[in-house]
Amino acid sequence: QVLLVESGGGLVQAGASLSLSCAASGRPFSSHIMGWFRQAPGKEREFVAAINWNGGNTDYTDSVSGRFTISRDNAKNTVYLQMNSLKPEDTAVYYCAADVTYYSPGYLPDKVSDYDYWGQGTQVTVSS
């Protein structure tokens, strides 16, 4: 079992930055692939970013590439999402997720169904 708790959401103006955190407890954190997803009102949950066990491999959806950065600190059992140059279309509930499945090196899952554990979500609202 893995418990995930997100924090750091809020209301900001377009162009601003926010940093989200996700604290994990339970199974050994360093063995998990971690991901961030988001869900806007009336839309399906979508992939944002993922990171492998040691931070050496990351992946982003095209719409956030170059603006968002995913990172992790295994000593603190925490994964982060630094969001810069925020746009109104980034408005959503952001979810942290953990995937405990072993994959081939270099592969990072990007589907909701791939992930085993989820946080409760944190709201990010970007005003224009």
Side-chain angles (χ1 to χ4, degrees), residues 36-105:
W36 285 97
F37 289 74
R38 65 187 180 186
Q39 188 166 17
K43 295 188 177 181
E44 294 188 351
R45 193 170 299 189
E46 65 172 359
F47 172 77
V48 175
I51 188 168
N52 75 330
W53 72 276
N54 66 355
N57 186 25
T58 58
D59 188 26
Y60 300 90
T61 192
D62 288 346
S63 62
V64 308
S65 184
R67 298 189 297 123
F68 290 11
T69 302
I70 188 172
S71 61
R72 67 190 295 163
D73 185 338
N74 288 342
K76 295 182 178 179
N77 289 352
T78 302
V79 63
Y80 306 95
L81 185 68
Q82 177 65 40
M83 306 184 293
N84 298 329
S85 302
L86 282 161
K87 304 175 181 180
E89 50 264 43
D90 295 318
T91 295
V93 177
Y94 282 70
Y95 297 91
C96 170
D99 187 338
V100 302
T101 302
Y102 174 78
Y103 296 98
S104 300

